[in-house]
Amino acid sequence: MTEEDLQKIAEKEAMLEAMEDQPTTRAATKVSLPGTFTMYRQETSTYCAPACVKSALMYIKGSSPSQASIDSYIQQDFTKIPKYMNDRQSRNYYVLYASPFVSDMFKCFKHDISEKRVPTFFRLYNPSGENWYYGTFGHCLLVNAYYSDFSQAQLADPLGGTVPEWKVFYVKSSTVLGQVCSRLVY
């Protein structure tokens, strides 16, 4: 990593620490990305990350490479998303966050959605499928809304609609999200 990359990562970490002192409201409100956010369905069974990258880039810039082109770089590796995103847009400097605590996870959502107006990448690990539509050893989704009391977040799922009962957008509690989140890119 370059010195500039390390500085930007340090700035994001400092931002998370600074949010700890901010008060939260009692009445929860849903805070969503402004405007229209479209979640693109993954084109193959392994294209969850490319579909999420395409969805994020289309929202941020209005254009994106194909899912196949994105996959040729990412190759099913969630850790490659930050560099890919940072090389193609400048609204948000994305970084990887492994095994976030629930409170930090929601601070990341708040930072991205409220301040930077970008979605957060969410890596789902839930082999049993408990409290979810399906089981998975790894799946990429986007967070496009959160509740101001940090009790819930809305996910955008590139598998949504591939089975009639699987929704594209759905809300999960902070407890469930804490149990199934292995990594974020925010």
Side-chain angles (χ1 to χ4, degrees):
M1 285 194 188
T2 67
E3 189 64 36
E4 182 181 354
D5 289 334
L6 294 173
Q7 177 62 31
K8 288 180 178 179
I9 290 169
E11 289 171 7
K12 289 202 100 162
E13 290 170 350
M15 175 274 310
L16 285 180
E17 288 180 28
M19 281 188 176
E20 288 190 19
D21 297 329
Q22 294 180 356
T24 57
T25 59
R26 283 184 169 247
T29 56
K30 185 176 181 182
V31 182
S32 302
L33 287 172
T36 302
F37 176 78
T38 302
M39 184 70 229
Y40 290 84
R41 184 179 295 167
Q42 61 190 71
E43 295 173 354
T44 73
S45 63
T46 61
Y47 277 15
C48 56
C52 288
V53 168
K54 179 178 181 79
S55 299
L57 287 174
M58 291 299 291
Y59 179 77
I60 295 167
K61 294 178 41 172
S63 65
S64 170
S66 69
Q67 290 185 31
S69 175
I70 295 165
D71 186 62
S72 69
Y73 178 88
I74 293 175
Q75 300 176 335
Q76 301 178 41
D77 185 347
F78 192 83
T79 66
K80 292 182 179 180
I81 293 173
K83 180 164 177 28
Y84 192 90
M85 289 297 295
N86 294 337
D87 288 348
R88 287 158 184 79
Q89 56 81 45
S90 58
R91 186 183 304 177
N92 183 49
Y93 184 82
Y94 279 99
V95 298
L96 180 70
Y97 193 147
S99 305
F101 291 110
V102 172
S103 59
D104 289 341
M105 190 184 326
F106 276 84
K107 290 174 194 170
C108 293
F109 301 161
K110 180 179 180 181
H111 171 266
D112 285 357
I113 294 166
S114 296
E115 295 176 30
K116 296 294 184 173
R117 292 176 165 65
V118 297
T120 304
F121 292 82
F122 184 99
R123 186 168 191 282
L124 172 68
Y125 177 81
N126 187 6
S128 72
E130 186 176 343
N131 297 315
W132 219 266
Y133 294 108
Y134 47 82
T136 181
F137 287 97
H139 182 57
C140 185
L141 304 101
L142 292 172
V143 177
N144 72 313
Y146 69 95
Y147 284 77
S148 59
D149 65 354
F150 291 2
S151 64
Q152 301 177 92
Q154 179 172 288
L155 296 116
D157 193 334
L159 273 177
T162 58
V163 172
E165 3 354 294
W166 296 359
K167 298 177 183 177
V168 175
F169 296 99
Y170 49 89
V171 174
K172 293 290 183 179
S173 73
S174 60
T175 302
V176 170
L177 295 175
Q179 294 168 350
V180 300
C181 180
S182 66
R183 296 178 175 167
L184 295 177
V185 171
Y186 79 104

